[in-house]
Amino acid sequence: GLGEHVDYWNGLGWADPFSSALFSKRQQDYATSISHSRGTYTPQLVVDGKEEVIGSDEGEVHQAISRAAAVQKATMHIAADLPSSGDAFQVKVSVAIPPEVTIPGASSVMIAVTEDNLASDVRRGENSGRHLRHTAVVRKLVTLGQLKTGLRQWSGNTSIAAAPQWKRADLKVIGFLQEQGRGDIVGAGWTNVTQPGDQAISRATSEKDPVLGR
C-alpha cells in the first residue's frame, strides 16, 4: 500500500506534516479517470489505479482487492542499497511483462519511498486531539522512466537522496508500472533499503497482488 497524504485539509488550522500537493493532484486525476468515481474524499482507497472505494468500508475494500487479485500482473524486481559513505541510496529496477498481460499504450515506471512507524498529533479539524499512527507514508515519489508501447522489458536505475529525518530501518522502496492516460497500475514490486551488512528483503508482484494507494 501507498499512504499518499493529501494537503487540501491543511487550511483547517493544522497542517499534516506528511501531506503534499502532488498527492492531492494524483487523487484528482484518479477522480477523472476512474469509471463511476465518487470524486475526491478521505479516506479513499484506490486499488490498481482503476477502482476507488471508501477506505473505512472493510467489506467493500476486501471485495475490491479480491477483484484486483484475479488480474494477471507484470513483474517488477527492485533493489535498493544505501552505501556507508553517502546519504543517497541506489535503486535498480527491472520490468518484465508476460504475454498474457495487455498494455494498450505507454506506461510510466514509478518509484515510491515509503516509511513506516510514523505518527502525528492533530491540533485542529475533525480529528483534533487525536494521536494518529501511519504506515507506508510516501516520502518521495518519482518517475524513473517510460516503457514504450509494445515493449515487454525495461530496466533502469536512479539515486534518491535520503532526508535526515527518515528512519532507515522503516524505509521501503516500492516500484509500480502505471499506464499513461488511464492510470491503471499493471505491476509492482518492493524492497527494503539495505545498508552495509544487511540482508535484502524484496518481493516482486505476482498475479495475485493488487496495488493499493490512497
Side-chain angles (χ1 to χ4, degrees):
L2 300 176
E4 301 182 13
H5 289 225
V6 296
D7 71 340
Y8 50 77
W9 297 111
N10 291 353
L12 297 178
W14 176 83
D16 182 346
F18 310 117
S19 63
S20 170
L22 171 62
F23 304 142
S24 297
K25 175 64 166 55
R26 280 178 61 80
Q27 188 184 35
Q28 292 166 5
D29 290 342
Y30 280 132
T32 59
S33 65
I34 294 175
S35 300
H36 309 296
S37 173
R38 286 168 281 197
T40 59
Y41 55 89
T42 56
Q44 184 178 41
L45 192 72
V46 177
V47 184
D48 274 359
K50 57 187 176 184
E51 183 174 1
E52 56 88 15
V53 297
I54 300 172
S56 56
D57 187 335
E58 184 175 354
E60 189 177 13
V61 168
H62 278 281
Q63 290 175 24
I65 292 173
S66 295
R67 287 189 291 270
V71 179
Q72 180 79 24
K73 301 291 195 305
T75 299
M76 295 187 71
H77 290 283
I78 317 290
D81 65 273
L82 181 63
S84 57
S85 59
D87 293 325
F89 46 89
Q90 309 304 311
V91 180
K92 297 180 180 179
V93 179
S94 63
V95 179
I97 303 176
E100 55 270 29
V101 174
T102 301
I103 302 178
S107 299
S108 296
V109 182
M110 307 289 293
I111 293 292
V113 179
T114 68
E115 185 176 356
D116 295 331
N117 298 315
L118 292 172
S120 56
D121 293 303
V122 184
R123 303 300 183 187
R124 298 284 181 86
E126 183 178 315
N127 291 314
S128 179
R130 297 184 63 185
H131 179 75
L132 302 180
R133 299 184 181 277
H134 310 293
T135 299
V137 174
V138 177
R139 289 297 211 167
K140 188 81 171 180
L141 182 65
V142 297
T143 301
L144 180 56
Q146 176 180 279
L147 186 71
K148 295 182 179 180
T149 305
L151 294 182
R152 313 299 291 182
Q153 293 185 333
W154 185 94
S155 63
N157 59 80
T158 189
S159 177
I160 298 178
Q165 67 269 29
W166 296 356
K167 304 185 302 298
R168 308 299 170 86
D170 291 324
L171 296 178
K172 291 184 178 66
V173 176
I174 299 172
F176 57 97
L177 188 63
Q178 183 164 29
E179 289 186 25
Q180 295 177 3
R182 296 195 313 177
D184 292 10
I185 297 176
V186 293
W190 70 270
T191 184
N192 62 333
V193 179
T194 60
Q195 301 180 67
D198 291 345
Q199 182 176 359
I201 301 173
S202 63
R203 187 163 185 263
T205 297
S206 74
E207 68 277 5
K208 298 299 183 183
D209 295 327
V211 181
L212 312 179
R214 68 179 178 187

